[in-house]
Amino acid sequence: AGLLLVAFTVVLARVVRDGRRVSCGCFGSATDEPVSRATLARNVALIGLCVPAASAPRAWFGAGDTVAASLVTAGGLVCVGLLISALVQMKAATGSVFALPVRREV
């Protein structure tokens, strides 16, 4: 999750750097605010919270816990596969994984 957030934050940083006004949609349709430095700061703080969680000592798993951990791992691998598939489709459709639609205001 932390690595996906890092990748998403890199894309947002490019949007802010280029001065584009793109709605984040981070909380669904609850807000139409454009991506800003505040969005980047929030993501960096969340990434910072991922570090201690990822480096926390691992608990010993019993037999039942191993099955649950295996199912969670399998679900994560399926999600990664779906993400890769979506990125490949985006590249095929737009020519770039990082392409964002640009709204032209009249």
Side-chain angles (χ1 to χ4, degrees):
L3 293 176
L4 288 175
L5 184 57
V6 168
F8 183 64
T9 303
V10 168
V11 172
L12 293 181
R14 290 180 62 177
V15 168
V16 170
R17 180 194 68 199
D18 294 345
R20 293 185 275 177
R21 292 185 48 88
V22 177
S23 174
C24 179
C26 298
F27 299 103
S29 60
T31 180
D32 244 359
E33 294 295 317
V35 174
S36 66
R37 291 183 189 269
T39 309
L40 295 175
R42 181 197 61 220
N43 283 7
V44 169
L46 290 171
I47 291 167
L49 292 175
C50 289
V51 173
S55 61
R58 304 297 187 254
W60 181 82
F61 289 111
D65 292 337
T66 303
V67 172
S70 297
L71 290 174
V72 169
T73 301
L77 291 174
V78 167
C79 289
V80 168
L82 291 172
L83 175 66
I84 291 171
S85 173
L87 292 173
V88 167
Q89 289 176 359
M90 187 185 322
K91 175 131 173 92
T94 64
S96 172
V97 174
F98 297 109
L100 295 172
V102 177
R103 283 191 244 177
R104 306 248 188 248
E105 302 206 16
V106 180

